[in-house]
């Protein structure tokens, strides 16, 4: 099928913005003004024998001087290309060229002279010009053709440019030099006088100017003087003018190295001139033939240098000479290759110049890809010699179909698994794990083992409640049982309130692990014992204080739970964890990126330092293009780089594997100020209860329940208490650890897209949470005993209104259907499990089509935890405390000790 260039396509091309980057902003503005002022006249389109289209226009400048513009268009690789030249001093891409294009866009009818070729039609009539099957135009014997012959200065020439060109017009076989002065003397033969065509020769001159060629005055030889003495109106046809006339050479301001110019000219401009009907000849002794890259000479191989690191050696040969890749990429970078070639077809060639002056022509598409891929890998810092890459980068390069590599078999296997992480090899679950892993948890365990086998580190980014802790414990047990840990302990860093959860989960699912908790004032006594344990647990709050002691220990695996705590790379905790020593590292976080990609960089600065380069380079190469410019290519590139190291599953992804309802207990440590307040009230109330038992007997139960109420309120939020003394009022202003924990939990749940029910027995606590939601502009609804139209609120929530529904115990215990939520939070414990389950069942009931996660917030070491422990043992006392069965309370020494004793350190 022949390729066609349709005039409507040209009009569409100019109507868009594709052509505008060719011109400066100033030229675009001034050109539009000239067109609007009707300064463009006598536009015509010409069809060249090559199939190109040239639009010739005359533009009247402000100086009243008329300039001729030539806008040439041709198809290349299926896309329209454009070249614009002008007779003005600017010579190309000027405001007059813009004016001629704007004239066309404005719909002015072109006066087109196509001679006698009937298949060529007017631009405005929307016909098609066939580039491949166009009839050869009728030869105009009077019209000139043009020849450009490039020579190198010989020894007899004392001065002038080293390499220059003769530009000749040819009339019926008679050659005359192109004359920049415009004095076109006729050609006289014995038979005839041939008039020269000014318009054609002026157009040819403009073409030379557009190529940055300028005429130089040749030395006046005796023969030349003789010629000059002849009448100005004639040139004898028998004169040997092919070796005389103007010498054309590149503008030395634009091209200070002429050799570079002529090599590029030979490679690029020759084709453009020949496409316009010129003949271009290079004298044999000019040389400067560019080196051409050929794919069949490409060689690239990877050799292991050290465990986890490989050397990539890549290059190619031309005429038996080897060229290393890195210096070539450095030269491309210096030539702004990516910017210059942005709109070039992939198959087009781009020329760079080697230090010895030779030109090297490279295919645009292939080298753009290599420069981008390896540039991001090396932060665009190219040197000599092989390229050092990690195992992961080696595997990613092996998966890149546009970069042919000879790699070790190990890399081939890793690359295959990276391409489809679902195919990572299964591993036997340790027999000492006291749990049955669901399918997605098994895959997470296999993935961790895959990372460990190949010395990779990664992020398990499962949603909250999907068992990140369990999967990690299975991974640790396997590392220990396989002997890969070689007796080294594992370290887990977690928020203070989560450390106890790890202890509980380890005792439940991995009871064979010897666990050491480094918390509290007595933790320093145990640092010397770290190497005797399998699992060491500590908090982010303590790691900087205890860094010196931890640096004395090499760990097998360091896992960061809630790893978003190191999202700020400059924070003290982030700096500290990066200094720890380990064989393997792991981050656990349902929200590894909360605000920006800089947080991802911080996590990988801990996991695999250097993988994402320096922070500033990462910002330049990834953050700015992705976050501010929405660069999809950069985003895909980053995904390819870190994708194998991040495993992310949401509850929706694994919904079929989840039970209908999952309960998660969160134990929270009181803040130091809150703990002091709790101890002050506890000690005072303990004394009052004991005195009441002695003095008033049965009334002691009322005092006892009042004591429990005050302690529970402190756990929820100190401000819930009403104190008479100023000092206690000041103490009640302490922060609530539970409220802070709830805030973090809500942030995570919102990012994961969950809708939440929050239950509390205290309406005053709901008011505090409401203030926070208002401040953060979180949409919510609230239902308390004071609410009159309960059903209206329920219908609004079920209809999709509100991310959070606040509900009090008395108002929301029964009679509500809230299946629009998939998450329930019990802010404070309900001592009667049946009542607590009734509240949970507002969301977990018929009509619910999503798994429901139930979060229970308990302050450790407080009356909340002790009642919860009693409840777990089905203790009658716990069931009676808030059931109103005060007459059944046996306030003996054990009861008081169980509920009102001081918290353990």
């Amino acid at each position: 099928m022949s390729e066609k260039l349709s005039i409507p396509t040209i009009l569409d091309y100019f109507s868009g913005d594709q052509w505008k980057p060719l011109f400066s902003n100033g030229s675009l503005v001034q050109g539009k003004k000239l067109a609007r002022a009707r300064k463009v006249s006598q536009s015509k389109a010409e069809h060249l024998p090559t199939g190109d289209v040239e639009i010739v226009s005359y533009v009247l400048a402000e100086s009243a001087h008329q300039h001729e513009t030539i806008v040439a268009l041709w198809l290349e690789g299926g896309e329209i290309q454009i070249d614009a030249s002008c007779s003005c001093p600017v010579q190309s891409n000027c405001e007059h060229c813009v004016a001629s294009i704007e004239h066309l866009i404005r719909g002015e009818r072109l006066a087109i002279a196509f001679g006698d070729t009937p298949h060529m039609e007017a631009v405005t009539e929307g016909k098609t010009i066939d580039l491949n099957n166009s009839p050869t135009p009728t030869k105009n014997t009077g019209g000139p053709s043009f020849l450009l012959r490039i020579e190198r200065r010989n020894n007899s020439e004392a001065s002038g440019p080293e390499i220059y060109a003769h530009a000749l017009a040819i009339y019926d076989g008679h050659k005359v030099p192109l004359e920049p002065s415009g004095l076109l003397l006729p050609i006289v033969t014995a038979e005839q006088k041939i008039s020269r065509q000014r318009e054609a020769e002026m157009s040819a001159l403009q073409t030379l100017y557009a190529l940055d060629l300028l005429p130089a005055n040749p030395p006046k030889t005796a023969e030349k003087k003789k010629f000059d003495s002849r009448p100005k109106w004639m040139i004898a046809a028998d004169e040997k003018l092919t070796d005389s006339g103007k010498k054309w050479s590149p503008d030395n301001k634009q091209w200070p190295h002429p050799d570079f110019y002529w090599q590029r000219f030979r490679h690029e401009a020759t084709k453009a001139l020949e496409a316009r009907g010129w003949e271009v000849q290079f004298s044999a002794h000019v040389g400067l033939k560019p080196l051409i890259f050929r794919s069949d000479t490409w060689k690239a191989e990877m050799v292991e240098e050290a465990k986890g690191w490989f050397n990539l050696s890549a290059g190619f040969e031309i005429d038996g000479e080897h060229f290393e890749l890195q210096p070539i990429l450095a030269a491309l970078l210096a030539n702004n290759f990516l910017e210059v070639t942005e709109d070039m077809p992939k198959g087009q060639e781009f020329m760079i110049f080697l230090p010895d002056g030779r030109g090297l022509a490279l295919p645009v598409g292939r080298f753009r890809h290599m420069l981008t891929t390896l540039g991001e890998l090396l932060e665009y810092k190219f040197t000599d010699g092989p390229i050092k890459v990690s195992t992961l980068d080696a595997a990613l390069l092996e998966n890149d179909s546009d970069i042919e590599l000879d790699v070790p078999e190990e890399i081939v296997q890793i690359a295959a698994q990276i391409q489809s992480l679902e195919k990572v090899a299964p591993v036997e679950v340790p027999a000492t794990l006291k749990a049955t892993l669901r399918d997605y948890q098994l895959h997470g365990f296999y993935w961790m083992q895959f990372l460990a086998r190949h010395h990779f580190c990664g992020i398990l980014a499962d949603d909250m409640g999907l068992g990140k802790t369990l999967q990690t414990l299975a991974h640790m047990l396997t590392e220990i049982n396989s002997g890969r840990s070689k007796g080294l302990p594992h370290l887990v860093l977690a928020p203070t309130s989560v450390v106890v959860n790890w202890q509980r989960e380890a005792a439940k699912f991995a009871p064979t692990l010897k666990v050491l908790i480094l918390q509290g004032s007595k933790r320093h006594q145990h640092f010397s014992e770290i190497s005797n344990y399998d699992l060491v647990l500590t908090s982010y709050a303590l790691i900087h204080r205890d860094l010196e002691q931890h640096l004395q220990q090499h760990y097998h695996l360091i896992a960061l739970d809630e790893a978003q705590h190191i999202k700020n790379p400059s924070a003290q905790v982030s700096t500290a964890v990066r200094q720890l020593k380990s064989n393997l590292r792991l981050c656990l976080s349902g929200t590894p990126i909360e605000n920006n990609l800089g947080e991802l960089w911080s996590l990988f600065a801990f996991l695999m330092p250097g993988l994402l380069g320096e922070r500033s380079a990462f910002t330049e190469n990834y953050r700015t293009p992705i976050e501010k410019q929405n660069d999809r290519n950069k985003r895909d590139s980053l995904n390819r780089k870190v994708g194998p190291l991040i495993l992310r599953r949401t509850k929706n992804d694994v919904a079929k594997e989840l039970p209908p309802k999952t309960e998660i207990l969160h134990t929270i440590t009181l803040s130091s100020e809150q703990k002091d307040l709790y101890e002050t009230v506890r000690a005072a109330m303990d004394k009052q209860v004991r005195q009441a038992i002695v003095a008033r007997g049965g009334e002691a139960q009322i005092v006892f329940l009042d004591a429990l109420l005050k302690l529970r309120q402190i756990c929820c939020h100190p401000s819930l208490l009403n104190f008479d003394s100023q000092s206690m009022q000041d103490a009640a202003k302490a922060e609530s650890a539970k409220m802070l924990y709830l805030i973090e939990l809500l942030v995570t749940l919102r990012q994961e897209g969950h809708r939440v029910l929050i239950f509390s027995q205290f309406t005053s606590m709901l008011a505090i949470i409401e203030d926070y939601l208002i401040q953060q502009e979180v949409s919510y609804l609230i239902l308390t005993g004071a609410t009159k139209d309960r059903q209206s609120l329920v219908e609004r929530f079920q209809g999709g209104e509100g991310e959070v529904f606040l509900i009090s115990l008395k108002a929301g215990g029964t009679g509500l259907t809230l299946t629009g939520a998939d998450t329930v939070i019990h802010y404070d414990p309900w001592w009667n499990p049946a009542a607590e389950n009734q509240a949970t069942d507002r969301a977990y009931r018929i009509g619910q089509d999503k798994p429901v996660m139930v979060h229970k917030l308990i302050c450790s070491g407080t009356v909340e935890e002790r009642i919860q422990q009693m409840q777990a043992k089905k203790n009658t006392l716990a069931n009676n405390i808030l059931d109103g069965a005060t007459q059944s309370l046996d306030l003996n020494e054990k009861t008081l000790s169980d509920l009102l004793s001081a918290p353990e350190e």
Side-chain angles (χ1 to χ4, degrees):
M1 181 181 292
S2 63
E3 187 176 23
K4 294 176 180 288
L5 176 62
S6 65
I7 297 306
T9 303
I10 294 176
L11 294 174
D12 291 342
Y13 174 78
F14 283 133
S15 298
D17 294 330
Q18 303 99 307
W19 59 277
K20 290 184 179 179
L22 193 67
F23 302 90
S24 68
N25 289 335
S27 295
L28 291 170
V29 172
Q30 292 301 320
K32 199 164 189 176
K33 288 182 179 179
L34 288 171
R36 193 177 293 129
R38 298 184 178 274
K39 298 294 185 180
V40 183
S41 63
Q42 289 188 329
S43 291
K44 66 179 181 178
E46 295 181 355
H47 177 270
L48 301 182
T50 58
D52 297 358
V53 172
E54 285 190 347
I55 299 172
V56 181
S57 304
Y58 295 91
V59 182
L60 188 64
E62 292 182 358
S63 61
H65 187 79
Q66 182 168 274
H67 297 296
E68 181 187 56
T69 67
I70 301 175
V71 178
L73 301 126
W74 68 98
L75 280 180
E76 191 171 290
E79 297 182 356
I80 293 180
Q81 307 294 321
I82 179 175
D83 180 46
S85 60
C86 182
S87 61
C88 75
V90 177
Q91 300 180 6
S92 64
N93 303 343
C94 63
E95 62 193 57
H96 310 115
C97 296
V98 173
S100 66
I101 295 172
E102 290 288 351
H103 177 74
L104 175 61
I105 296 172
R106 289 168 59 85
E108 302 290 346
R109 183 174 180 84
L110 298 180
I112 301 172
F114 280 123
D116 299 322
T117 51
H119 68 287
M120 300 178 184
E121 304 291 344
V123 172
T124 53
E125 293 176 10
K127 303 297 182 181
T128 297
I129 299 173
D130 190 327
L131 292 180
N132 293 324
N133 299 322
S134 300
T136 302
T138 304
K139 183 178 180 180
N140 181 354
T141 55
S145 60
F146 298 98
L147 167 67
L148 194 71
R149 191 173 73 243
I150 294 88
E151 302 277 2
R152 183 179 288 273
R153 189 179 68 195
N154 57 41
N155 294 333
S156 64
E157 295 177 275
S159 61
E162 180 69 23
I163 301 175
Y164 56 86
H166 287 305
L168 306 169
I170 306 173
Y171 291 85
D172 291 338
H174 302 291
K175 301 174 183 177
V176 291
L178 288 176
E179 179 53 63
S181 68
L183 181 61
L184 305 185
L185 303 178
I187 301 171
V188 179
T189 69
E191 296 82 16
Q192 61 179 333
K193 183 176 86 171
I194 303 175
S195 298
R196 295 164 65 178
Q197 295 191 8
R198 175 175 299 279
E199 183 179 343
E201 291 197 35
M202 290 302 103
S203 176
L205 286 170
Q206 294 305 321
T207 299
L208 296 180
Y209 292 140
L211 293 171
D212 288 334
L213 286 172
L214 299 177
N217 291 319
K220 291 190 176 183
T221 62
E223 182 181 357
K224 181 66 178 175
K225 288 180 180 178
K226 178 183 175 183
F227 168 78
D228 286 341
S229 65
R230 296 179 185 181
K232 299 294 184 183
W233 52 267
M234 66 171 288
I235 293 178
D238 58 352
E239 287 282 358
K240 295 183 178 180
L241 295 175
T242 56
D243 294 322
S244 62
K246 297 288 184 183
K247 291 182 177 180
W248 295 77
S249 59
D251 181 353
N252 56 18
K253 293 181 180 179
Q254 299 289 334
W255 298 91
H257 303 289
D259 280 9
F260 290 4
Y261 171 86
W262 287 113
Q263 287 185 77
R264 176 157 289 186
F265 182 96
R266 183 167 198 163
H267 186 65
E268 298 172 1
T270 298
K271 296 177 184 178
L273 283 172
E274 289 175 344
R276 285 160 176 74
W278 285 65
E279 180 183 357
V280 181
Q281 298 175 351
F282 277 82
S283 175
H285 61 277
V286 170
L288 302 177
K289 188 175 181 180
L291 303 166
I292 309 295
F293 171 86
R294 294 288 177 261
S295 296
D296 55 8
T297 67
W298 169 262
K299 294 180 181 178
E301 63 177 352
M302 231 173 250
V303 179
E304 187 170 16
E305 178 196 32
K307 194 62 180 175
W309 291 96
F310 292 81
N311 279 337
L312 167 62
S313 179
F316 50 89
E317 289 186 1
I318 301 178
D319 297 334
E321 182 178 358
H322 182 75
F323 293 87
E324 282 289 333
L325 180 62
Q326 282 217 68
I328 299 300
L329 296 181
L332 290 174
L333 195 64
N335 280 272
N336 297 318
F337 175 71
L338 293 175
E339 293 81 4
V340 171
T341 63
E342 186 173 4
D343 297 321
M344 286 187 182
K346 289 184 177 180
Q348 190 169 334
E349 292 180 331
F350 179 84
M351 179 175 288
I352 62 170
F353 294 96
L354 304 176
D356 60 7
R358 291 178 298 169
L360 175 60
L362 305 170
V364 166
R366 181 165 189 163
F367 278 82
R368 273 186 67 87
H369 183 75
M370 280 196 286
L371 180 59
T372 302
T373 302
L374 296 177
E376 290 171 352
L377 184 65
L378 301 175
E379 296 184 8
Y380 294 94
K381 297 174 183 176
F382 300 108
T383 58
D384 293 327
I387 300 170
K388 186 177 179 180
V389 297
S390 68
T391 303
L392 176 63
D393 287 325
L396 293 173
L397 288 173
E398 165 63 11
N399 281 334
D400 192 326
S401 59
D402 292 329
I403 301 180
E404 302 168 17
L405 294 172
D406 182 11
V407 301
E409 182 60 28
E410 175 194 359
I411 298 300
V412 175
Q413 294 176 4
I414 297 173
Q417 293 186 69
I418 283 177
Q419 270 194 317
S420 179
L421 286 176
E422 296 300 323
K423 297 179 181 179
V424 291
V427 180
E428 185 177 353
V429 177
T432 48
L433 184 73
K434 302 304 179 183
T436 300
L437 298 179
R438 299 188 178 99
D439 287 346
Y440 75 88
Q441 292 173 330
L442 272 174
H443 179 65
F445 165 60
Y446 297 159
W447 173 77
M448 290 182 187
Q449 285 289 292
F450 164 73
L451 295 184
R453 283 196 306 274
H454 301 295
H455 302 277
F456 298 158
C457 303
I459 304 172
L460 181 61
D462 287 348
D463 264 3
M464 182 184 300
L466 295 187
K468 294 190 288 291
T469 302
L470 176 58
Q471 295 171 70
T472 306
L473 288 170
H475 177 51
M476 290 177 176
L477 285 172
T478 303
E479 290 299 292
I480 294 170
N481 296 345
S482 67
R484 283 194 294 269
S485 64
K486 297 180 180 179
L488 294 175
H490 299 67
L491 175 67
V492 170
L493 282 171
T496 303
S497 56
V498 179
V499 170
V500 178
N501 290 345
W502 270 89
Q503 181 188 27
R504 185 174 57 249
E505 298 277 283
K508 179 179 179 181
F509 298 122
T512 60
L513 290 179
K514 292 182 289 184
V515 181
L516 172 64
I517 298 182
L518 294 176
Q519 277 194 317
S521 58
K522 298 180 181 178
R523 67 185 185 281
H524 295 90
Q525 301 173 11
H526 303 291
F527 282 117
S528 61
E529 306 169 15
I530 288 178
S531 59
N532 298 327
Y533 288 86
D534 300 313
L535 176 58
V536 179
L537 305 173
T538 191
S539 67
Y540 292 110
L542 296 175
I543 190 61
H544 180 70
R545 301 181 196 175
D546 301 339
L547 182 60
E548 186 176 344
Q549 288 86 346
H550 283 289
L551 290 178
Q552 297 174 25
Q553 175 66 50
H554 191 100
Y555 295 99
H556 179 61
L557 167 68
I558 298 176
L560 305 187
D561 194 9
E562 303 293 342
Q564 62 271 19
H565 280 72
I566 66 162
K567 66 183 180 182
N568 180 357
S570 303
Q572 202 172 50
V573 64
S574 305
T575 304
V577 298
R578 290 199 294 267
Q579 298 178 59
L580 298 173
K581 294 176 286 187
S582 67
N583 298 331
L584 302 171
R585 295 184 172 193
L586 187 67
C587 285
L588 309 175
S589 175
T591 54
I593 305 174
E594 293 181 321
N595 300 301
N596 57 66
L597 287 176
E599 298 169 1
L600 184 70
W601 183 91
S602 186
L603 265 61
F604 274 101
F606 161 74
L607 290 169
M608 297 179 70
L611 177 72
L612 296 182
E614 295 295 328
R615 186 179 176 186
S616 57
F618 176 79
T619 299
E620 180 180 351
N621 295 333
Y622 290 108
R623 275 197 65 184
T624 299
I626 294 173
E627 293 177 358
K628 297 185 178 180
Q629 300 161 11
N630 196 27
D631 189 322
R632 181 175 298 178
N633 291 331
K634 287 289 186 180
R635 185 185 62 207
D636 292 344
S637 173
L638 181 59
N639 285 341
R640 284 192 299 272
K641 195 174 189 67
V642 301
L645 304 178
I646 302 176
L647 185 60
R648 165 75 169 156
R649 280 84 58 90
T650 67
K651 292 186 180 73
N652 289 335
D653 295 332
V654 298
K656 293 180 181 179
E657 295 186 49
L658 293 177
K661 179 173 66 175
T662 302
E663 293 189 354
I664 305 169
L665 182 66
H666 302 271
T667 53
I668 302 163
T669 302
L670 297 178
S671 65
S672 57
E673 293 177 343
Q674 199 175 2
K675 192 177 294 183
D676 290 343
L677 177 62
Y678 183 92
E679 177 55 21
T680 301
V681 173
R682 184 209 62 78
M685 298 307 296
D686 182 45
K687 183 177 180 181
Q688 286 184 28
V689 172
R690 293 178 188 277
Q691 290 174 347
I693 291 174
V694 173
R696 294 186 289 276
E699 294 183 10
Q701 294 179 357
I702 298 175
V703 179
F704 172 69
L705 291 177
D706 183 51
L708 291 182
L709 175 64
K710 285 183 168 59
L711 294 177
R712 290 171 54 226
Q713 288 175 322
I714 293 174
C715 291
C716 288
H717 204 293
S719 65
L720 297 185
L721 276 73
N722 293 316
F723 293 105
D724 295 331
S725 68
Q726 184 62 45
S727 60
M728 292 301 287
Q729 289 176 13
D730 293 339
K733 295 177 182 178
E735 281 189 329
S736 167
K738 185 181 285 192
M739 181 62 190
L740 294 177
Y741 192 93
L742 174 70
I743 289 171
E744 288 189 10
L745 184 60
L746 285 176
V747 168
T748 300
L749 292 171
R750 288 189 71 202
Q751 289 177 336
E752 295 178 357
H754 301 291
R755 300 183 73 209
V756 184
L757 307 181
I758 299 179
F759 289 97
S760 175
Q761 296 175 68
F762 304 108
T763 56
S764 52
M765 186 66 234
L766 293 178
I768 293 174
I769 299 172
E770 182 182 20
D771 288 342
Y772 164 77
L773 297 177
I774 293 172
Q775 179 185 352
Q776 297 300 313
E777 299 182 351
V778 178
S779 59
Y780 74 96
L781 299 172
I782 184 167
L783 175 63
T784 67
T787 303
K788 294 182 179 179
D789 192 356
R790 289 158 45 99
Q791 190 55 36
S792 173
L793 286 178
V794 170
E795 290 174 359
R796 286 164 60 189
F797 186 80
Q798 290 293 88
E801 182 180 343
E803 300 172 70
V804 177
F805 202 158
L806 303 174
I807 307 173
S808 68
L809 166 61
K810 291 182 179 180
T814 59
L816 302 177
T817 297
L818 297 169
T819 52
D822 61 0
T823 304
V824 176
I825 298 176
H826 293 294
Y827 187 82
D828 41 271
W830 295 9
W831 311 133
N832 186 336
E836 195 171 74
N837 289 335
Q838 279 184 336
T840 297
D841 288 346
R842 298 314 96 214
Y844 173 55
R845 62 192 306 153
I846 294 174
Q848 178 58 271
D849 57 358
K850 302 175 289 294
V852 175
M853 293 289 172
V854 183
H855 302 270
K856 298 181 179 182
L857 310 187
I858 302 290
C859 290
S860 61
T862 70
V863 66
E864 287 189 342
E865 184 175 60
R866 291 181 179 133
I867 290 290
Q868 189 267 335
Q869 291 168 352
M870 290 179 179
Q871 197 179 71
K873 298 176 183 178
K874 299 184 179 179
N875 191 296
T876 303
L877 174 63
N879 292 335
N880 289 337
I881 286 178
L882 291 182
D883 281 352
T886 53
Q887 67 279 3
S888 301
L889 297 179
D890 183 10
L891 298 182
N892 54 35
E893 184 64 31
K894 185 177 186 306
T895 299
L896 295 178
S897 177
D898 285 344
L899 295 174
L900 296 181
S901 60
E904 297 178 1
E905 285 292 332

